[in-house]
Protein backbone atom coordinates (compact mmCIF):
# COMPACT_ATOMS: atom_id res chain seq x y z
CA UNK A 1 0.00 0.00 0.00
CA UNK A 2 1.30 3.47 -0.89
CA UNK A 3 1.69 6.56 1.23
CA UNK A 4 0.06 9.95 0.77
CA UNK A 5 2.48 12.46 -0.70
CA UNK A 6 2.33 15.84 1.05
CA UNK A 7 4.42 18.34 -0.88
CA UNK A 8 4.71 20.91 1.93
CA UNK A 9 5.84 18.25 4.40
CA UNK A 10 8.46 16.99 1.96
CA UNK A 11 9.77 20.53 1.47
CA UNK A 12 9.89 21.12 5.23
CA UNK A 13 11.52 17.78 6.04
CA UNK A 14 13.95 17.38 3.13
CA UNK A 15 14.81 20.68 1.41
CA UNK A 16 17.82 21.64 3.54
CA UNK A 17 19.38 18.17 3.39
CA UNK A 18 18.71 17.86 -0.33
CA UNK A 19 20.23 21.26 -1.02
CA UNK A 20 23.31 20.39 1.03
CA UNK A 21 23.69 17.10 -0.81
CA UNK A 22 23.24 18.75 -4.19
CA UNK A 23 25.61 21.57 -3.33
CA UNK A 24 28.41 19.07 -2.83
CA UNK A 25 27.81 17.52 -6.25
CA UNK A 26 27.38 20.52 -8.56
CA UNK A 27 29.54 23.48 -9.52
CA UNK A 28 27.74 26.19 -7.52
CA UNK A 29 24.80 27.03 -5.28
CA UNK A 30 22.67 28.26 -8.19
CA UNK A 31 22.98 24.92 -9.95
CA UNK A 32 22.11 23.12 -6.70
CA UNK A 33 19.01 25.29 -6.31
CA UNK A 34 18.03 24.61 -9.94
CA UNK A 35 18.33 20.86 -9.43
CA UNK A 36 16.35 21.10 -6.17
CA UNK A 37 13.64 23.01 -8.01
CA UNK A 38 13.51 20.22 -10.60
CA UNK A 39 13.25 17.63 -7.82
CA UNK A 40 10.30 19.47 -6.27
CA UNK A 41 8.62 19.79 -9.66
CA UNK A 42 9.08 16.06 -10.24
CA UNK A 43 7.58 15.36 -6.82
CA UNK A 44 4.55 17.51 -7.65
CA UNK A 45 4.11 15.86 -11.04
CA UNK A 46 4.28 12.36 -9.55
CA UNK A 47 2.39 13.03 -6.30
CA UNK A 48 -0.91 12.04 -7.89
CA UNK A 49 0.02 8.34 -7.78
CA UNK A 50 0.60 7.60 -4.07
CA UNK A 51 0.00 3.88 -4.61
CA UNK A 52 3.45 3.61 -6.16
CA UNK A 53 5.20 5.32 -3.22
CA UNK A 54 6.06 2.86 -0.46
CA UNK A 55 8.77 4.97 1.21
CA UNK A 56 8.57 8.76 0.96
CA UNK A 57 12.22 9.15 1.98
CA UNK A 58 13.50 6.59 -0.51
CA UNK A 59 11.34 8.07 -3.25
CA UNK A 60 12.56 11.63 -2.60
CA UNK A 61 16.23 10.57 -2.56
CA UNK A 62 15.79 8.54 -5.76
CA UNK A 63 14.18 11.53 -7.52
CA UNK A 64 17.03 13.72 -6.26
CA UNK A 65 19.72 11.37 -7.50
CA UNK A 66 18.00 11.07 -10.88
CA UNK A 67 17.73 14.87 -11.21
CA UNK A 68 21.40 15.19 -10.32
CA UNK A 69 22.40 12.64 -12.96
CA UNK A 70 20.22 14.51 -15.50
CA UNK A 71 21.95 17.76 -14.55
CA UNK A 72 25.39 16.22 -15.08
CA UNK A 73 24.31 14.87 -18.46
CA UNK A 74 23.02 18.30 -19.54
CA UNK A 75 26.14 20.12 -18.39
CA UNK A 76 28.54 17.51 -19.76
CA UNK A 77 29.99 16.66 -16.36
CA UNK A 78 30.20 12.95 -15.70
CA UNK A 79 30.60 12.08 -12.03
CA UNK A 80 32.26 8.76 -11.35
CA UNK A 81 29.86 7.95 -8.54
CA UNK A 82 26.90 9.76 -7.02
CA UNK A 83 25.79 8.40 -3.64
CA UNK A 84 22.05 7.94 -3.27
CA UNK A 85 21.76 9.51 0.19
CA UNK A 86 23.63 12.20 2.04
CA UNK A 87 25.07 9.65 4.47
CA UNK A 88 26.40 7.49 1.61
CA UNK A 89 29.67 9.40 1.42
CA UNK A 90 32.83 7.65 0.33
CA UNK A 91 36.15 8.52 1.87
CA UNK A 92 39.12 9.36 -0.32
CA UNK A 93 40.71 6.13 0.85
CA UNK A 94 37.92 4.10 -0.74
CA UNK A 95 38.57 5.47 -4.23
CA UNK A 96 41.06 3.37 -6.22
Amino acid sequence: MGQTVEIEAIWRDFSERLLGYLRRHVANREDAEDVLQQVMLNIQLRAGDPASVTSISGWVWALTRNALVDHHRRTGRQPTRVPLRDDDVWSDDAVP
Side-chain angles (χ1 to χ4, degrees):
M1 176 176 268
Q3 297 182 19
T4 302
V5 177
E6 297 181 23
I7 307 296
E8 290 178 21
I10 290 173
W11 179 257
R12 182 185 63 243
D13 296 343
F14 290 92
S15 64
E16 287 184 36
R17 286 186 295 164
L18 295 176
L19 185 59
Y21 168 80
L22 292 168
R23 182 62 190 96
R24 287 187 297 279
H25 294 284
V26 298
N28 55 56
R29 184 175 179 88
E30 292 79 21
D31 285 350
E33 290 171 349
D34 289 346
V35 175
L36 180 58
Q37 183 177 12
Q38 185 61 50
V39 170
M40 294 309 296
L41 177 62
N42 290 343
I43 288 170
Q44 287 181 320
L45 293 173
R46 292 172 174 85
D49 186 20
S52 65
V53 178
T54 57
S55 166
I56 296 293
S57 177
W59 181 64
V60 168
W61 283 108
L63 289 174
T64 301
R65 182 184 180 281
N66 292 344
L68 181 58
V69 169
D70 290 344
H71 169 78
H72 289 309
R73 285 182 184 143
R74 278 192 311 278
T75 61
R77 180 172 176 237
Q78 294 295 321
T80 54
R81 295 193 286 190
V82 177
L84 181 58
R85 294 187 324 256
D86 192 32
D87 59 349
D88 288 346
V89 178
W90 294 286
S91 70
D92 291 337
D93 297 334
V95 179

